[in-house]
Each structure stands twice: as C-alpha cells, then as structure tokens.
Amino acid sequence: MKIIGTGCSHPSKVVTNDMLSDLVDTSNEWIMTRTGISERRVISSEMMLDLAVEAARNALDDAGISASELDFIIVANVVNEYVTPALSCILQGAIGATCPCVDLNGACVGFIYGLDMAEAYYKAGKVKKVLVVCAEQPSRMLSWQDRSVCVLFGDGAGAAVLAEGDNIKATRLTASSNYDKLYQMHELQPSPFNTKPSTDLPLVMRGQDVFKFASKASYADLSALLKETGKTADDVSLFLLHQANIRIIENIAHIFNQDKAKFPTNIQKYGNTSSASLPILLDELNREGKLHHGDLLALSAFGAGLVSGACLLEW
Ligand code: COA
C-alpha cells in the first residue's frame, strides 16, 4: 500500500514541566535532561472519540477522499471511555463511513500493527483504501502522584489513509510476554460470583528495563528490515522513532552512526502519546513539507507487552 494522507489532533490543555513540579517532586531540569520532554497535551473536556475523529477527518482531507470510499478502518487504542462497542465502530459512524472496522491494542506499536494489517488485507485482495487511526489517553491510565511515570506521557491522535501502491517495503513485529515491565490493571464491574481481590492499579513501569528493551528492540528491528531489503542505514532518508525518550532516539542514531538530523522529534511538545506518537510525527513532517517523493522512511516503535515493530516505507 501507499500512504496518501495524514492527520492528527491534540487536546487543548497544555501541561508544562513547571506545572508538574507543582503536583510532584520534580523539576523542568530533571524532565528535560532525562527525557527531552518540555510539555505535553492532556485530555480535559474532550472525549477520546473527538480526537480520533478530528485526526481521521484531517487525514481524509489530506488524502482527498471521502469516508464513503474507505474499505476498512483500523483504530489502535489502549483505553477510551467505551469498553464496547469498539472505538473504530463509533468513529465509523461519526466520519460517515460504512465499511467494516476493528480496534487493536498494540500499545505504543499500534501504528505499525495497523500498517501491517492494512498491507496484509490489501495483499489478500480484500481492500483498496484503509484508514488507520491511533488515539490514546495515557493520562487516564497513570497516577498523577507517581513522578517516575506522569512526566513521560501525553494524549493525542494521529491517522493515515492508505491506498493501492507498492510503498510499504517491509514490516516486522515482535512480542515477548514480559507484562510485569509495563502494565495497568483496572477494576471491572462487581459480580456476586467474583472471588478475586480488587485489581485497580495505575500504570506501573520498570523504567530502566523498558529503556534497555526499547533500545535493543529498535536496533534489532531496523537492522533486520535493512538486511531483508538490501538497504543500509545510509539509504534511509529519515528515521521516525516512537517518541518515548530523547535518549533512546539518540542512542539509536549513535548505534547506526547516523546524523541526529535524520531522527526528527516532537517529544519536546507532546511527550509519549503511545501509538499516536508515530502518525502525529509523520503528519507534522508531511505538513511541513519535509517528506519528499521517493524518500525512504524507517519507522520503529516499542511498548507494553513487551512488543516492538518497524516498517520501511517509501514516501
Ligand atoms: N523527577 C525527579 N526525579 C525523578 C523523577 C522525576 N520525574 N522520576 C524518577 N526520579 C528519580 C528516581 O526516584 C531516582 O531517584 P533515586 O536515585 O534517589 O532513587 C532517580 O530519579 C533516577 O531514577 P532512574 O529510574 O534511574 O532514572 P532514569 O535515568 O532511568 O530515567 C526514565 C527514568 C523513566 C525517564 C527512563 O528510565 C525511561 O525513559 N525509561 C523508558 C520509559 C519508556 O520509554 N516508557 C514507555 C515505553 S512505550
């Protein structure tokens, strides 16, 4: 397939590092030097659906197609206000589409999972136009008293429209069930037959373990794709890495011996927006005219699971 349009949407509320230092024992200096994050957007009065719909509409406008032309909608999302129906199904009606739709929980790798699924459906001859939307609100999963977690994340949505083409050159997904490293558990409705204790826990993260996993996984995924396609890191125009920590991104640039300028970032403004991180970055670069016909883009993400994924695509 080929990406023919991108879009994104952010909550209106800006939360700066200084605002966080009023909530927890932290400082702008600590957050900036350890993560590269200066501020993030956080959902206040918006619903997750509002952001998803706006990102989807922006991507459809950019692609120059109407929602009725879509054959399939994939929404990557970890949590939203509705347990059921799927966010993709609510979004389908809101944008005026009529095609089948499905949600996936790929944590921060949701966009790469979405691209891979779209490509697989396309290759099976089932679809020609697919909308992938990533909409996430980690701000409602974490504790705002936990300084090691609340400074890292932000909310947002990003989207891409895919159509017929041969621009996705290769994708790779990995999963290893290490769920104690990064997880959240929430209480379900009471049942007179439930005998288990309460399981309401905000996001738990073993930061250093996740950091090491992220660096290793991103390097392994990107190396495997370059090898598979007969390319080298020098052939890549831009590396779009999941915006989790500027130090992870700089590590990867260093390991591949590439100029940091080839690793665009927007983590400064948005923090880690989970699966929305890559399509938001892609959309910004697209709208700023920084993506050129024929550019080779290397996308890489990692997250709770632990899972990772990468994609090489030609713009
Ligand atoms: N402000 C001030 N101090 C903080 C802090 C904060 N927001 N958060 C943690 N600290 C403290 C710790 O309590 C610790 O103090 P101690 O030495 O007295 O115990 C100290 O800073 C160092 O903590 P440490 O965990 O070693 O820091 P770090 O350099 O590993 O950075 C992360 C922590 C979370 C920024 C880093 O591990 C990370 O980015 N991990 C990956 C996270 C990630 O990518 N998650 C999402 C994947 S999708």
Side-chain angles (χ1 to χ4, degrees), residues 224-242:
L225 289 189
L226 290 172
K227 193 170 172 205
E228 181 187 328
T229 53
K231 304 279 184 193
T232 69
D234 292 343
D235 296 323
V236 175
S237 314
L238 291 175
F239 290 83
L240 273 52
L241 264 55
H242 175 44

Side-chain angles (χ1 to χ4, degrees), residues 296-309:
L296 186 63
L297 307 182
L299 279 57
S300 168
F302 37 80
L306 296 166
V307 292
S308 74

